Amino acid sequence: MKVEFYRHNLDEQDIANVVKVLHSVFLTTGPVTAEFERRFAEYTGVPNVLAVNSCTAAMQMTLMALGVGPGDEVIVPAMTFIASATCVVHAGATPVLVDVDPETGCMDPEAARRAVTPRTKAILPVHLYGVMADMKALRVLADEHKLFLVEDCAHCVEGERDGVRPGHLSDAACYSFYATKNLACGEGGALITRHEEVARKAKLLSLHGMSKNAAGRYHGLYQHWDMLTLGWKCNLDDIHSALLVDQLGRLDALWARRNTLWKRYEQGFEGTNVARPKVVGKSGHHLYTVWADPARRDALLPALQQAGVGVAVNFRAIHLLEWFRETFGFKPGDFPNAEAIGDRTISLPFYPKMTDAECDYVIETVRGVFKG
Ligand SMILES: *Cc1c(COP(=O)(O)O)cnc(C)c1O
Protein backbone atom coordinates (compact mmCIF):
# COMPACT_ATOMS: atom_id res chain seq x y z
CA MET A 1 0.00 0.00 0.00
CA LYS A 2 1.11 3.59 -0.64
CA VAL A 3 -0.34 6.36 1.53
CA GLU A 4 0.43 9.88 0.28
CA PHE A 5 1.44 12.42 2.89
CA TYR A 6 -1.31 14.76 1.71
CA ARG A 7 -4.17 14.98 -0.80
CA HIS A 8 -6.22 18.16 -1.20
CA ASN A 9 -9.99 18.54 -0.97
CA LEU A 10 -10.82 20.86 -3.84
CA ASP A 11 -13.95 19.73 -5.64
CA GLU A 12 -15.64 20.37 -9.01
CA GLN A 13 -17.55 23.36 -7.60
CA ASP A 14 -14.29 25.04 -6.52
CA ILE A 15 -12.84 24.44 -9.96
CA ALA A 16 -16.01 25.82 -11.62
CA ASN A 17 -15.71 28.93 -9.43
CA VAL A 18 -12.21 29.54 -10.78
CA VAL A 19 -13.36 29.06 -14.38
CA LYS A 20 -16.09 31.65 -13.75
CA VAL A 21 -13.46 34.18 -12.65
CA LEU A 22 -11.36 33.38 -15.72
CA HIS A 23 -14.36 34.21 -17.93
CA SER A 24 -14.98 37.51 -16.10
CA VAL A 25 -13.34 40.94 -16.49
CA PHE A 26 -11.59 40.76 -13.14
CA LEU A 27 -8.66 38.49 -12.34
CA THR A 28 -7.09 40.34 -9.43
CA THR A 29 -8.54 41.46 -6.07
CA GLY A 30 -12.23 42.15 -6.70
CA PRO A 31 -15.74 40.91 -5.89
CA VAL A 32 -14.80 37.25 -5.23
CA THR A 33 -12.10 38.20 -2.71
CA ALA A 34 -14.59 40.56 -1.05
CA GLU A 35 -17.11 37.71 -0.88
CA PHE A 36 -14.52 35.41 0.69
CA GLU A 37 -13.58 38.08 3.25
CA ARG A 38 -17.26 38.53 4.14
CA ARG A 39 -17.79 34.78 4.58
CA PHE A 40 -14.57 34.31 6.54
CA ALA A 41 -15.66 37.06 8.93
CA GLU A 42 -18.89 35.13 9.40
CA TYR A 43 -17.04 31.85 9.99
CA THR A 44 -14.55 33.27 12.48
CA GLY A 45 -16.92 35.67 14.19
CA VAL A 46 -14.35 38.45 13.80
CA PRO A 47 -15.63 41.39 11.73
CA ASN A 48 -12.54 42.68 9.88
CA VAL A 49 -10.83 40.37 7.37
CA LEU A 50 -8.05 41.10 4.89
CA ALA A 51 -7.13 38.42 2.36
CA VAL A 52 -3.48 38.42 1.29
CA ASN A 53 -1.24 36.01 -0.60
CA SER A 54 0.31 34.21 2.40
CA CYS A 55 0.22 33.85 6.16
CA THR A 56 3.75 35.25 6.24
CA ALA A 57 2.51 38.44 4.56
CA ALA A 58 -0.55 38.56 6.84
CA MET A 59 1.71 38.48 9.92
CA GLN A 60 4.11 41.07 8.51
CA MET A 61 1.27 43.42 7.48
CA THR A 62 -0.35 42.98 10.90
CA LEU A 63 2.83 43.80 12.80
CA MET A 64 3.47 46.85 10.62
CA ALA A 65 -0.14 48.02 10.92
CA LEU A 66 0.25 47.78 14.71
CA GLY A 67 3.33 50.00 14.45
CA VAL A 68 5.84 47.27 15.34
CA GLY A 69 9.20 48.02 13.70
CA PRO A 70 12.89 48.78 14.23
CA GLY A 71 13.99 48.65 17.88
CA ASP A 72 11.01 46.52 18.89
CA GLU A 73 11.04 42.91 20.06
CA VAL A 74 8.41 40.28 19.34
CA ILE A 75 8.22 37.06 21.38
CA VAL A 76 7.94 33.94 19.18
CA PRO A 77 8.11 30.21 20.08
CA ALA A 78 11.18 28.24 18.93
CA MET A 79 9.00 25.30 17.82
CA THR A 80 7.25 26.56 14.69
CA PHE A 81 7.69 27.15 10.98
CA ILE A 82 10.37 29.76 10.20
CA ALA A 83 7.79 32.28 8.92
CA SER A 84 6.51 32.97 12.47
CA ALA A 85 9.90 34.60 13.13
CA THR A 86 10.95 35.86 9.70
CA CYS A 87 7.78 37.99 9.43
CA VAL A 88 9.07 39.87 12.48
CA VAL A 89 12.40 40.49 10.75
CA HIS A 90 10.62 41.64 7.58
CA ALA A 91 8.66 44.13 9.70
CA GLY A 92 12.02 45.53 10.87
CA ALA A 93 11.77 44.20 14.44
CA THR A 94 13.67 41.50 16.35
CA PRO A 95 12.22 38.04 17.05
CA VAL A 96 12.91 36.91 20.61
CA LEU A 97 12.52 33.15 20.77
CA VAL A 98 11.14 31.34 23.81
CA ASP A 99 10.69 27.70 24.73
CA VAL A 100 7.46 25.73 24.47
CA ASP A 101 5.34 23.49 26.65
CA PRO A 102 6.92 20.01 26.45
CA GLU A 103 3.53 18.28 26.05
CA THR A 104 1.72 20.47 23.51
CA GLY A 105 4.64 22.19 21.76
CA CYS A 106 2.86 25.55 22.11
CA MET A 107 4.46 28.72 23.55
CA ASP A 108 5.00 28.45 27.30
CA PRO A 109 3.40 31.60 28.82
CA GLU A 110 5.93 31.55 31.69
CA ALA A 111 8.85 31.46 29.25
CA ALA A 112 7.20 34.35 27.41
CA ARG A 113 6.92 36.27 30.69
CA ARG A 114 10.63 35.83 31.37
CA ALA A 115 11.47 37.13 27.88
CA VAL A 116 9.64 40.47 28.26
CA THR A 117 11.97 43.49 28.16
CA PRO A 118 11.29 47.24 27.89
CA ARG A 119 11.59 46.79 24.09
CA THR A 120 8.94 44.05 23.81
CA LYS A 121 6.01 45.17 21.65
CA ALA A 122 4.13 41.97 20.85
CA ILE A 123 3.69 38.26 21.56
CA LEU A 124 3.18 35.95 18.60
CA PRO A 125 1.94 32.50 19.71
CA VAL A 126 1.53 29.61 17.25
CA HIS A 127 -1.33 27.12 17.48
CA LEU A 128 0.93 24.17 16.75
CA TYR A 129 -0.63 21.24 14.83
CA GLY A 130 -4.03 22.89 15.45
CA VAL A 131 -3.92 23.01 19.27
CA MET A 132 -4.34 26.56 20.51
CA ALA A 133 -1.72 28.14 22.72
CA ASP A 134 -2.96 29.24 26.16
CA MET A 135 -4.53 32.48 24.93
CA LYS A 136 -6.08 33.35 28.31
CA ALA A 137 -2.68 33.30 30.04
CA LEU A 138 -1.06 35.18 27.16
CA ARG A 139 -3.84 37.81 27.24
CA VAL A 140 -3.11 38.43 30.93
CA LEU A 141 0.60 38.78 30.20
CA ALA A 142 -0.05 41.10 27.24
CA ASP A 143 -2.33 43.30 29.37
CA GLU A 144 0.23 43.49 32.19
CA HIS A 145 2.90 44.84 29.85
CA LYS A 146 0.67 46.56 27.27
CA LEU A 147 1.78 44.26 24.47
CA PHE A 148 0.06 43.35 21.23
CA LEU A 149 -1.04 39.75 20.80
CA VAL A 150 -0.89 38.31 17.26
CA GLU A 151 -1.79 34.66 16.55
CA ASP A 152 -0.16 32.44 13.95
CA CYS A 153 -3.25 30.42 12.96
CA ALA A 154 -1.67 28.64 9.98
CA HIS A 155 -2.62 25.31 11.63
CA CYS A 156 -5.83 26.33 13.30
CA VAL A 157 -8.91 27.46 11.42
CA GLU A 158 -11.36 25.39 13.46
CA GLY A 159 -9.86 25.25 16.96
CA GLU A 160 -11.07 26.45 20.33
CA ARG A 161 -9.61 26.34 23.85
CA ASP A 162 -11.13 27.47 27.17
CA GLY A 163 -14.06 28.88 25.18
CA VAL A 164 -11.69 31.05 23.13
CA ARG A 165 -11.45 30.94 19.33
CA PRO A 166 -8.69 32.43 17.15
CA GLY A 167 -8.96 36.20 16.85
CA HIS A 168 -11.27 36.60 19.83
CA LEU A 169 -8.70 37.57 22.50
CA SER A 170 -5.89 38.85 20.28
CA ASP A 171 -5.28 41.98 18.22
CA ALA A 172 -5.17 39.84 15.09
CA ALA A 173 -5.02 36.23 13.92
CA CYS A 174 -3.24 35.23 10.73
CA TYR A 175 -4.12 32.27 8.49
CA SER A 176 -2.40 30.36 5.71
CA PHE A 177 -4.21 28.92 2.69
CA TYR A 178 -1.04 27.21 1.45
CA ALA A 179 -1.52 23.99 -0.54
CA THR A 180 -1.54 21.60 2.43
CA LYS A 181 -3.41 23.67 5.01
CA ASN A 182 -6.93 22.87 6.21
CA LEU A 183 -8.35 25.63 4.00
CA ALA A 184 -6.21 25.73 0.86
CA CYS A 185 -5.92 27.52 -2.46
CA GLY A 186 -2.27 26.88 -3.38
CA GLU A 187 -0.88 30.13 -1.99
CA GLY A 188 -2.96 32.49 0.13
CA GLY A 189 -3.55 33.89 3.58
CA ALA A 190 -5.65 36.28 5.63
CA LEU A 191 -5.67 38.30 8.79
CA ILE A 192 -8.70 38.80 10.98
CA THR A 193 -8.88 41.55 13.58
CA ARG A 194 -11.33 43.09 16.00
CA HIS A 195 -9.80 46.51 15.22
CA GLU A 196 -11.11 48.13 12.04
CA GLU A 197 -8.11 50.49 11.97
CA VAL A 198 -5.59 47.61 11.91
CA ALA A 199 -7.39 46.05 8.94
CA ARG A 200 -7.48 49.40 7.14
CA LYS A 201 -3.76 50.03 7.64
CA ALA A 202 -2.84 46.45 6.72
CA LYS A 203 -4.90 46.75 3.54
CA LEU A 204 -3.07 49.92 2.54
CA LEU A 205 0.31 48.27 3.25
CA SER A 206 -0.65 45.17 1.28
CA LEU A 207 -1.21 47.07 -1.98
CA HIS A 208 1.64 49.51 -2.60
CA GLY A 209 0.21 52.02 -0.13
CA MET A 210 -2.30 53.01 -2.82
CA SER A 211 -5.52 54.78 -1.87
CA LYS A 212 -7.59 52.63 -4.30
CA ASN A 213 -7.26 49.03 -5.44
CA ALA A 214 -7.94 47.92 -9.02
CA ALA A 215 -11.62 47.25 -8.36
CA GLY A 216 -11.93 50.69 -6.77
CA ARG A 217 -10.31 52.27 -9.81
CA TYR A 218 -12.45 50.29 -12.25
CA HIS A 219 -15.88 51.12 -10.91
CA GLY A 220 -17.45 54.52 -11.57
CA LEU A 221 -15.85 57.45 -13.38
CA TYR A 222 -12.09 57.92 -13.36
CA GLN A 223 -10.60 59.43 -10.23
CA HIS A 224 -6.92 59.78 -9.41
CA TRP A 225 -5.46 57.53 -6.75
CA ASP A 226 -2.71 58.61 -4.38
CA MET A 227 0.18 56.81 -2.71
CA LEU A 228 -0.30 57.37 1.00
CA THR A 229 2.54 55.29 2.42
CA LEU A 230 5.30 52.89 1.36
CA GLY A 231 3.59 49.54 0.94
CA TRP A 232 4.21 45.96 -0.15
CA LYS A 233 2.40 43.83 -2.74
CA CYS A 234 0.63 40.86 -1.25
CA ASN A 235 -3.08 41.20 -2.03
CA LEU A 236 -5.00 38.00 -2.83
CA ASP A 237 -6.49 37.79 -6.34
CA ASP A 238 -9.97 36.61 -7.31
CA ILE A 239 -8.61 33.46 -9.00
CA HIS A 240 -7.30 32.14 -5.69
CA SER A 241 -10.23 33.47 -3.67
CA ALA A 242 -12.57 31.52 -5.97
CA LEU A 243 -11.06 28.30 -4.59
CA LEU A 244 -11.80 29.37 -1.02
CA VAL A 245 -15.38 30.67 -0.99
CA ASP A 246 -17.22 27.35 -1.06
CA GLN A 247 -14.61 25.43 0.96
CA LEU A 248 -15.73 27.40 4.02
CA GLY A 249 -19.08 25.60 3.93
CA ARG A 250 -17.32 22.21 3.99
CA LEU A 251 -14.76 23.01 6.71
CA ASP A 252 -16.69 21.52 9.59
CA ALA A 253 -17.40 18.24 7.77
CA LEU A 254 -13.73 17.95 6.77
CA TRP A 255 -12.70 18.63 10.36
CA ALA A 256 -15.09 15.91 11.59
CA ARG A 257 -13.44 13.38 9.26
CA ARG A 258 -9.96 14.35 10.53
CA ASN A 259 -11.26 14.07 14.08
CA THR A 260 -12.39 10.49 13.35
CA LEU A 261 -8.96 9.69 11.90
CA TRP A 262 -7.30 11.34 14.91
CA LYS A 263 -9.24 9.06 17.27
CA ARG A 264 -8.34 6.03 15.14
CA TYR A 265 -4.63 6.94 15.30
CA GLU A 266 -4.80 7.58 19.06
CA GLN A 267 -6.44 4.20 19.66
CA GLY A 268 -3.95 2.48 17.38
CA PHE A 269 -0.96 3.88 19.28
CA GLU A 270 -2.34 3.50 22.78
CA GLY A 271 -0.14 1.35 25.01
CA THR A 272 2.75 1.34 22.48
CA ASN A 273 6.08 3.19 22.46
CA VAL A 274 4.70 5.63 19.86
CA ALA A 275 4.54 8.89 21.86
CA ARG A 276 2.35 11.80 20.75
CA PRO A 277 1.83 15.43 21.72
CA LYS A 278 -1.04 16.30 24.02
CA VAL A 279 -4.23 17.77 22.59
CA VAL A 280 -5.89 20.47 24.71
CA GLY A 281 -9.34 21.83 23.86
CA LYS A 282 -10.70 21.49 20.32
CA SER A 283 -7.76 21.07 17.96
CA GLY A 284 -8.00 22.33 14.39
CA HIS A 285 -6.39 18.93 13.62
CA HIS A 286 -4.00 20.18 10.97
CA LEU A 287 -1.12 17.73 11.53
CA TYR A 288 -0.83 14.34 13.19
CA THR A 289 2.64 13.93 14.62
CA VAL A 290 4.30 11.15 16.61
CA TRP A 291 7.44 11.38 18.69
CA ALA A 292 10.25 8.85 18.17
CA ASP A 293 13.45 8.13 20.06
CA PRO A 294 15.67 11.05 18.90
CA ALA A 295 18.56 8.66 18.25
CA ARG A 296 16.42 6.75 15.75
CA ARG A 297 14.12 9.42 14.25
CA ASP A 298 16.20 10.18 11.15
CA ALA A 299 16.47 6.44 10.34
CA LEU A 300 12.72 5.89 10.82
CA LEU A 301 11.79 8.55 8.23
CA PRO A 302 13.18 6.67 5.19
CA ALA A 303 12.03 3.33 6.67
CA LEU A 304 8.45 4.65 6.70
CA GLN A 305 8.79 6.06 3.19
CA GLN A 306 10.11 2.76 1.90
CA ALA A 307 7.06 1.06 3.40
CA GLY A 308 4.87 3.47 1.39
CA VAL A 309 3.99 5.91 4.17
CA GLY A 310 4.41 9.60 3.32
CA VAL A 311 6.14 11.56 6.09
CA ALA A 312 7.28 15.09 6.94
CA VAL A 313 8.95 16.80 9.91
CA ASN A 314 6.96 19.67 11.40
CA PHE A 315 9.26 21.09 12.61
CA ARG A 316 12.89 21.14 13.64
CA ALA A 317 13.43 23.89 16.25
CA ILE A 318 14.03 27.07 14.26
CA HIS A 319 16.86 28.49 16.40
CA LEU A 320 19.12 25.66 15.22
CA LEU A 321 18.69 26.47 11.53
CA GLU A 322 21.77 28.05 9.98
CA TRP A 323 20.48 31.58 9.40
CA PHE A 324 19.06 31.88 12.93
CA ARG A 325 22.28 30.52 14.48
CA GLU A 326 24.44 32.89 12.46
CA THR A 327 22.21 35.96 12.81
CA PHE A 328 21.26 35.68 16.50
CA GLY A 329 23.99 33.42 17.94
CA PHE A 330 21.61 30.65 19.03
CA LYS A 331 23.09 27.30 19.99
CA PRO A 332 21.94 23.82 21.02
CA GLY A 333 20.52 23.85 24.54
CA ASP A 334 18.93 27.32 24.27
CA PHE A 335 15.35 25.97 24.10
CA PRO A 336 15.45 22.34 25.27
CA ASN A 337 11.73 21.53 24.93
CA ALA A 338 11.57 22.84 21.37
CA GLU A 339 14.77 20.94 20.54
CA ALA A 340 13.47 17.69 22.05
CA ILE A 341 10.28 17.93 19.97
CA GLY A 342 12.24 18.91 16.85
CA ASP A 343 14.54 15.90 17.26
CA ARG A 344 11.68 13.44 17.77
CA THR A 345 8.88 14.56 15.46
CA ILE A 346 7.50 12.62 12.53
CA SER A 347 4.31 13.90 10.82
CA LEU A 348 2.05 11.19 9.41
CA PRO A 349 -0.57 11.29 6.62
CA PHE A 350 -3.68 13.05 7.97
CA TYR A 351 -6.39 14.35 5.65
CA PRO A 352 -10.11 13.75 5.05
CA LYS A 353 -9.62 11.68 1.89
CA MET A 354 -7.49 9.16 3.79
CA THR A 355 -9.46 5.91 4.21
CA ASP A 356 -9.78 3.87 7.41
CA ALA A 357 -7.77 1.10 5.72
CA GLU A 358 -4.98 3.57 4.89
CA CYS A 359 -5.01 4.85 8.47
CA ASP A 360 -4.77 1.28 9.77
CA TYR A 361 -1.88 0.57 7.42
CA VAL A 362 -0.01 3.65 8.70
CA ILE A 363 -0.65 2.62 12.32
CA GLU A 364 0.59 -0.92 11.69
CA THR A 365 3.66 0.30 9.79
CA VAL A 366 4.59 2.91 12.40
CA ARG A 367 4.17 0.44 15.25
CA GLY A 368 6.37 -2.00 13.36
CA VAL A 369 9.27 0.37 12.70
CA PHE A 370 9.08 1.92 16.19
CA LYS A 371 9.46 -1.56 17.70
CA GLY A 372 12.61 -1.90 15.59
C1 LIG B 1 2.55 27.26 6.72
C2 LIG B 1 2.92 28.04 7.92
C3 LIG B 1 3.16 29.42 7.86
C4 LIG B 1 3.36 30.16 6.57
O1 LIG B 1 2.24 30.19 5.77
P1 LIG B 1 2.42 30.80 4.29
O2 LIG B 1 1.00 30.97 3.84
O3 LIG B 1 3.17 29.78 3.50
O4 LIG B 1 3.13 32.08 4.41
C5 LIG B 1 3.34 30.12 9.04
N1 LIG B 1 3.32 29.49 10.23
C6 LIG B 1 3.13 28.16 10.33
C7 LIG B 1 3.10 27.55 11.69
C8 LIG B 1 2.95 27.39 9.18
O5 LIG B 1 2.80 26.06 9.27
Side-chain angles (χ1 to χ4, degrees), residues 54-56 59 80-81 83-84 126 152 154-155 176 178 181 188 315:
S54 72
C55 179
T56 310
M59 294 190 288
T80 183
F81 181 60
S84 318
V126 179
D152 180 337
H155 295 185
S176 173
Y178 174 70
K181 302 286 157 85
F315 302 94

Side-chain angles (χ1 to χ4, degrees), residues 273-275 290-302 313 315-316 320 336-346 369-370:
N273 65 342
V274 182
V290 294
W291 291 345
D293 172 353
R296 293 184 65 216
R297 195 270 309 270
D298 288 356
L300 296 185
L301 291 165
V313 174
F315 302 94
R316 291 188 297 150
L320 298 181
N337 296 338
E339 286 169 36
I341 294 171
D343 290 343
R344 301 174 70 197
T345 294
I346 300 175
V369 302
F370 267 60

Side-chain angles (χ1 to χ4, degrees), residues 211-270:
S211 57
K212 280 179 187 297
N213 69 11
R217 298 196 300 277
Y218 176 77
H219 294 291
L221 298 175
Y222 181 86
Q223 281 190 319
H224 291 304
W225 53 268
D226 202 352
M227 176 179 153
L228 305 177
T229 188
L230 179 64
W232 274 258
K233 183 60 167 55
C234 52
N235 52 308
L236 191 69
D237 61 73
D238 273 14
I239 302 172
H240 284 87
S241 297
L243 289 171
L244 297 170
V245 276
D246 286 326
Q247 273 187 73
L248 282 174
R250 305 198 302 271
L251 267 186
D252 292 342
L254 295 172
W255 179 89
R257 174 59 190 156
R258 288 196 308 279
N259 193 43
T260 302
L261 289 167
W262 175 76
K263 286 184 191 154
R264 202 173 183 93
Y265 267 139
E266 286 295 294
Q267 247 166 27
F269 294 136
E270 209 178 289

